Amino acid sequence: MQTNFAPEQLADPDTRDSNTILRTCVHCGFCTATCPTFVLLGDELDSPRGRIYLIKDMLESGRPATAEVVKHVDRCLSCLSCMTTCPSGVNYMHLVDHARKYIEETYDRPWHEKALRRVLSAVLPYPARFRAAVAGARLGRPLAGLIPGGHVLSQRLRAMLTLAPGALPPASPMQAPQVHKAQGARRGRVALLTGCAQQVLAPSINEATIRLLTRMGIEVVITREQGCCGALNHHMGDHDPAMRLARANIAAWRREIAGEGLDGIVINTSGCGTTVKDYGFMFREEPEAEAAAEVAGLAMDVTEALQKFAYAPMREKPGLTVAYHSACSLQHGQKITALPKQLLVRAGFAVKDPAEPHLCCGSAGTYNLLQPEIAGKLKARKLHNLNRTGADLIAAGNIGCLTQLGGDALPVVHTVELLDWMAGGPEPAAVGAARREKAA
């Protein structure tokens, strides 16, 4: 692809990198076949290739983003399936992240859109605020069906109330800043990112991770002053808050690295993992560039950590079949595809892949709140394919996917909870539900 940026435009690091990315694209269109929004909507502008043209024109012109560009960029899930498909190695992730930042800097959104985005940015990354918000939404949940109209604001309000869980588990003391000592001889030392929404919605995931790693002889550190990875803000184009959150994590983990040292930074939410592994790029022009690159190099998905430290089950095979949902951020963002399934098989489960495993479930961070209509269609399509496997339950490695897919016929559970159970941990609630359904 030919580009025509002026020298003064290329002095900006984001534009310079986007120029390189744009020049990599050869217009082949392979990406259209695996893009969820193009598959659903059939509009070239809702494909990666179409968005690349829109972004190129917007950035080259230097003019404020238009409503047309914003509509199609906003519809992008950032599932990164296009990057898996692309034969030319186009880094669409960095390009669309730059586009979103540019849009937020130059486009005046409608008042209700700005208000919602500010609320999401101010609430979701902070567990205490999020817990209070979910409690309020839970009270309003029975009224979701009474919100009238097809306006996007009405759709979003209904989605927010519908997604609110009926009950929240109590806060887990295991997630507080502390050191969880290894059982027996210490074989390694890792930090654990406890996340933000996951802390509130499913603390059992962090508990299972800590139990499993410590039983394997790994000391698990939950550092003070860590928090949200910044992904939720980052993918809304909310640049400064995202960098502030990421900067706090980098500082917290660097203190541990400089102290007793770390063998890894374990992340059990794949959306967060993709972002933390990208800290080196995000901070390439910042004073923390070296520290960010070091942190990114130590980041690992929990399944990578279990492979590194030689996970081994201890229970008999449970006689259960798992439909494995591969979160986009794991399979496309981190290129981790076979490992979670291999660990589940090692643990004694039969594992099945659904049809169209490359397509997003529609969660995508805040996407199911901001684009509820498209997200709902993707959810229905994904659940249909998962249910057709005939499995007893669904396993996935991302809290967003688990929330999106929950409440259907099949129970949903995080992969690490199954692996912890088979290595001596407690039985996950989803397993009990699956066994009861199987016995009925």
Side-chain angles (χ1 to χ4, degrees):
M1 179 177 285
Q2 291 184 340
T3 58
N4 295 287
F5 288 100
E8 57 269 23
Q9 289 178 301
L10 294 176
D12 172 64
D14 288 334
T15 303
R16 187 167 59 245
D17 288 322
S18 289
N19 179 56
T20 302
I21 296 166
L22 288 166
R23 285 175 171 266
T24 307
C25 179
V26 297
H27 320 274
C28 68
F30 285 7
C31 57
T32 61
T34 58
C35 173
T37 51
F38 182 76
V39 168
L40 279 184
L41 305 174
D43 187 337
E44 173 75 12
L45 295 181
D46 285 314
S47 74
R49 182 171 63 180
R51 293 187 182 105
I52 285 172
Y53 278 114
L54 291 174
I55 293 168
K56 173 183 178 292
D57 181 67
M58 175 181 70
L59 296 178
E60 278 186 341
S61 72
R63 294 188 297 269
T66 65
E68 180 75 358
V69 173
V70 172
K71 178 177 76 171
H72 294 293
V73 171
D74 280 356
R75 284 179 177 174
C76 173
L77 294 130
S78 279
C79 70
L80 309 181
S81 181
C82 55
M83 287 180 60
T84 297
T85 309
C86 180
S88 303
V90 175
N91 196 318
Y92 180 83
M93 178 175 76
H94 290 160
L95 181 66
V96 78
D97 284 344
H98 179 203
R100 288 187 169 123
K101 177 186 172 189
Y102 187 92
I103 286 169
E104 294 312 304
E105 292 170 345
T106 65
Y107 182 70
D108 187 22
R109 293 183 180 275
W111 68 267
H112 56 83
E113 178 94 17
K114 286 189 284 190
L116 177 58
R117 285 171 174 264
R118 285 172 184 159
V119 168
L120 295 177
S121 178
V123 172
L124 291 181
Y126 305 97
R129 300 178 197 174
F130 181 58
R131 179 175 287 276
V134 170
R138 192 169 67 246
L139 295 175
R141 188 178 182 185
L143 305 177
L146 302 179
I147 298 174
H151 189 273
V152 66
L153 178 59
S154 299
Q155 293 178 27
R156 288 167 175 166
L157 289 174
R158 284 195 293 268
M160 292 175 73
L161 293 175
T162 301
L163 282 168
L168 283 178
S172 171
M174 292 177 70
Q175 299 178 128
Q178 60 190 292
V179 176
H180 294 275
K181 295 293 186 182
Q183 295 183 19
R186 192 176 90 177
R187 301 171 52 226
R189 189 173 193 267
V190 301
L192 174 66
L193 174 65
T194 52
C196 44
Q198 179 172 280
Q199 277 194 52
V200 177
L201 296 173
S204 59
I205 297 170
N206 286 331
E207 291 174 342
T209 303
I210 293 164
R211 283 194 305 264
L212 181 51
L213 288 172
T214 52
R215 280 201 309 272
M216 293 170 65
I218 311 303
E219 184 171 281
V220 179
V221 184
I222 300 174
T223 57
R224 296 187 180 278
E225 299 178 9
Q226 71 159 0
C228 174
C229 67
L232 295 172
N233 297 82
H234 185 57
H235 295 310
M236 288 194 292
D238 204 3
H239 177 73
D240 290 344
M243 295 293 279
R244 184 171 62 250
L245 290 165
R247 191 170 279 115
N249 289 333
I250 291 166
W253 290 326
R254 270 298 288 260
R255 284 192 290 271
E256 287 297 330
I257 294 167
E260 292 191 50
L262 292 174
D263 297 303
I265 298 168
V266 175
I267 305 168
N268 54 23
T269 298
S270 61
C272 302
T274 301
T275 296
V276 176
K277 288 182 177 182
D278 202 44
Y279 276 2
F281 179 83
M282 290 170 61
F283 283 85
R284 66 198 182 285
E285 300 291 331
E286 301 292 327
E288 302 91 347
E290 183 181 346
E294 184 177 19
V295 163
L298 283 171
M300 58 178 67
D301 183 70
V302 64
T303 57
E304 293 178 301
L306 295 177
Q307 180 75 352
K308 176 184 172 113
F309 296 114
Y311 168 81
M314 59 179 289
R315 296 188 191 275
E316 295 294 323
K317 290 183 178 183
L320 292 172
T321 299
V322 173
Y324 177 69
H325 165 65
S326 188
C328 296
S329 46
L330 198 58
Q331 64 169 318
H332 303 308
Q334 300 183 50
K335 309 302 181 190
I336 299 173
T337 54
L339 179 56
K341 292 182 284 187
Q342 290 168 351
L343 289 170
L344 286 168
V345 170
R346 189 187 306 176
F349 296 96
V351 178
K352 290 189 175 181
D353 284 317
E356 301 179 325
H358 61 284
L359 288 185
C360 184
C361 69
S363 173
T366 58
Y367 192 91
N368 52 2
L369 301 176
L370 296 172
Q371 301 285 336
E373 184 176 3
I374 297 173
K377 290 178 180 177
L378 289 171
K379 172 183 176 178
R381 188 171 183 141
K382 180 63 68 175
L383 283 171
H384 173 71
N385 287 328
L386 287 164
N387 285 321
R388 285 179 60 199
T389 64
D392 300 306
L393 69 165
I394 299 167
N398 188 56
I399 184 61
C401 302
L402 296 173
T403 303
Q404 177 79 339
L405 299 174
D408 192 63
L410 291 180
V412 296
V413 63
H414 195 288
T415 307
V416 78
E417 294 183 88
L418 293 176
L419 298 175
D420 172 53
W421 173 47
M422 295 307 293
E427 180 182 273
V431 170
R435 286 181 154 177
R436 288 191 295 273
E437 180 65 25
K438 196 168 186 177

